[in-house]
Amino acid sequence: MAVATAKIADRVVGAYRARYGGEPEGVWFAPGRVNLIGEHTDYTGGLVLPFALPVGVVVAAGRAPGEAIAVWSSQARGDAHDVREVPLRALTPGAVGGWAAYPLGMAWSLRAAGHPLSGTRLAIDADLPMGAGLSSSAALECATALALSELHGVRVARPEIAALASRAENEFVGAPTGIMDQSAALLCRAGHALLLDCRTGATEELPLNPATAGLTLLVVDTGARHALTDGRYAQRRRSCEEATRLLRVASLRDVVDADDVAGLADPELRRRARHVVTENRRVLAAAALLRRGAPGDLGPLLTESHASLRDNFEVSWRRADVAVEAALLAGAAGARMMGGGFGGSVLVLTPAAGISQVADAIAIAYARRRWPAPAVAVAAPSAGARRLR
Ligand code: GLA
C-alpha cells in the first residue's frame, strides 16, 4: 500500500473509532480519475479513455444493529460535519442533499436493485480535492458501494456496480452524468488507461507509460470549482439528444463523418454534434497510439480536444484556456480541460525535463491576472477501487 494511502486509512479508522466506538470491519478505497481523452461522449454512447489516480476516497465501515445507515465525512463542514443517520427505508430520491447524498444514494441504489442491506456505519476521508474535475463524487460512490456490498454479502460484478453508482448520481443526487467516472474508479488498472465503449460496455486496457517517451502527465487544478447540477451540463446533454433526433440516428456515435452534422440547421446544435463526432474519432486515434506503445504522439490530440471543447461544445472556462495556452507556449506536447467543464482541472502532457517550466509558466500567467496559484501534480495511471484492510 502506498504510504499516503496507508496514512489516510489510519486516519479514517481513527475517525470511525472516535465517532462510533469500536473497530470498523474493513477499509475500502476508490480513486479519482483523469480522463486522457473522450470528453462529453459517455452519455451519447461514445468512447472514453480515462485512467485512475493514486488518490481518492477512503471509507471505513462496519455493520451495526438496526436498520439505519450512519455516515460521517472528514470533508464536511459546519452542521454537515456531524454523523448523519437515516433509516434505510427512508432513503428516497430528493430526501437527502449535500455530500451525504452520494453515499446514501449508493445505499438507496443497491436496495432499489433488490440487494438487501441492514444497519451500517461509515466514516469517510479523502486525499482528493472535491469539485476539481477529478471525480471525487464517483470515488465516494464506488468506495461506499464496495464497502456495503462486501459487508452485506451482495455479489455484484464491477460493471454492474458502476451502473448502480451512476443511477445513484442521476436519480438520488440529481446530477445527469454518464458512466465514465464510476467505470474508471472501478475498472482501471495501474499503468494503463481504460478504453470504454459506453454503448456496449466493452473495455480494453491500454498501456499508458508516458515516461517511455520522456513525457509526464500533469494535472493542474485551476481553482475554479464546478457543479454538475447547475444546469449547464444537463443543457449540453439535451443538445446532444436533440441532435441525435434530428440526424435520425440511434446515437451520435453512429455519425462517423464530421461533415454529416452539416444537415443540422441550428449552428449551435451543429457545433455541439461536431464536438462529439470528432472527439470519438480522437479517442480512437489515441487508443491506436497507446496500442502501438507511442504515447509520445498524444499531444496534438489533447490540444485538439481542448479547442473543440472550448469552441464547439463551449464548456471550457477562462482559467483552463489560460493554463492550456501557457503550458503549450512553455513547451508542453499537449494540454486540455478535463471533465464536465466550467471549472476543475487541466491535463498537460509535458516533456519530463520541462515540468518546472510548464508549472512556472502557468503560475506566472495566473499571477499576472491576480488569480491564486494553481496546484500542479504528476498524474500516474494507478489501480482501481479495492479493499485496503
Ligand atoms: C463528468 C461526468 C461524466 C462525463 C464528463 C464529461 O465528469 O460525470 O459522466 O460526462 O463529465 O466527459
Side-chain angles (χ1 to χ4, degrees):
M1 202 193 303
V3 181
T5 318
K7 231 191 209 158
I8 190 171
D10 285 345
R11 204 162 75 190
V12 80
V13 167
Y16 184 98
R17 283 189 198 120
R19 306 290 139 184
Y20 303 118
E23 291 298 306
E25 290 177 78
V27 179
W28 289 264
F29 166 83
R33 63 101 187 91
V34 156
N35 188 16
L36 188 60
I37 197 159
E39 219 66 88
H40 281 280
T41 50
D42 60 350
Y43 52 80
T44 53
L47 299 163
V48 294
L49 193 53
F51 64 85
L53 285 167
V55 288
V57 172
V58 176
V59 173
R63 283 166 295 178
E67 294 295 317
I69 177 159
V71 290
W72 175 87
S73 166
S74 68
Q75 313 282 309
R77 296 287 166 260
D79 284 353
H81 196 57
D82 300 334
V83 170
R84 180 93 190 256
E85 194 172 48
V86 183
L88 282 163
R89 62 180 148 58
L91 293 176
T92 48
V96 183
W99 72 269
Y102 295 91
L104 295 177
M106 198 59 241
W108 165 80
S109 166
L110 281 164
R111 276 167 51 91
H115 303 297
L117 303 178
S118 59
T120 314
R121 293 169 177 147
L122 306 172
I124 298 161
D125 204 338
D127 55 359
L128 175 72
M130 309 281 133
L134 303 174
S135 284
S136 52
S137 326
L140 176 49
E141 292 151 13
C142 294
T144 303
L146 290 193
L148 290 176
S149 44
E150 247 188 279
L151 285 176
H152 298 289
V154 171
R155 298 188 148 274
V156 214
R158 288 195 171 208
E160 175 68 5
I161 299 184
L164 293 176
S166 176
R167 183 171 180 213
E169 188 156 327
N170 291 172
E171 293 179 36
F172 199 92
V173 178
T177 48
I179 191 79
M180 166 169 71
D181 303 340
Q182 293 82 1
S183 305
L186 290 163
L187 305 176
C188 280
R189 193 171 132 204
H192 292 75
L194 180 81
L195 175 62
L196 170 67
D197 181 329
C198 299
R199 177 149 69 176
T200 63
T203 57
E204 185 182 347
E205 290 171 345
L206 296 168
L208 175 57
N209 302 308
T212 56
L215 296 168
T216 300
L217 285 160
L218 298 178
V219 170
V220 179
D221 181 352
T222 67
R225 289 291 171 257
H226 73 143
L228 294 171
T229 43
D230 75 359
R232 291 182 288 185
Y233 181 97
Q235 217 176 46
R236 296 303 184 282
R237 199 168 168 154
R238 274 197 305 276
S239 295
C240 289
E241 282 159 13
E242 177 72 353
T244 306
R245 194 178 61 79
L246 292 170
L247 289 167
R248 296 170 197 276
V249 285
S251 137
L252 284 181
R253 173 75 177 283
D254 296 323
V255 185
V256 272
D257 189 339
D259 291 337
D260 289 348
V261 304
L264 293 166
D266 176 15
E268 183 181 293
L269 224 49
R270 209 156 55 221
R271 286 200 304 278
R272 303 289 188 259
R274 185 176 296 280
H275 165 71
V276 175
V277 173
T278 57
E279 186 77 351
N280 277 325
R281 257 198 342 228
R282 283 185 287 273
V283 177
L284 286 175
L289 289 175
L290 296 192
R291 252 180 237 117
R292 284 214 313 270
D297 297 336
L298 286 169
L301 291 170
L302 302 189
T303 308
E304 279 165 36
S305 169
H306 183 75
S308 179
L309 287 158
R310 183 190 59 209
D311 304 334
N312 292 328
F313 219 64
E314 295 176 279
V315 290
S316 188
W317 62 106
R318 191 71 193 119
R319 290 184 195 200
D321 296 338
V322 167
V324 166
E325 268 163 46
L328 294 173
L329 279 172
R336 67 178 207 86
M337 60 147 281
M338 257 194 323
F342 309 111
S345 297
V346 160
L347 178 67
V348 179
L349 182 66
T350 173
I355 294 178
S356 50
Q357 264 120 290
V358 166
D360 290 350
I362 300 173
I364 290 168
Y366 273 41
R368 205 178 293 139
R369 292 167 176 83
R370 301 185 185 289
W371 296 340
V376 178
V378 169
S382 303
R386 59 200 178 271
R387 185 172 186 159
L388 297 179
R389 294 182 182 170

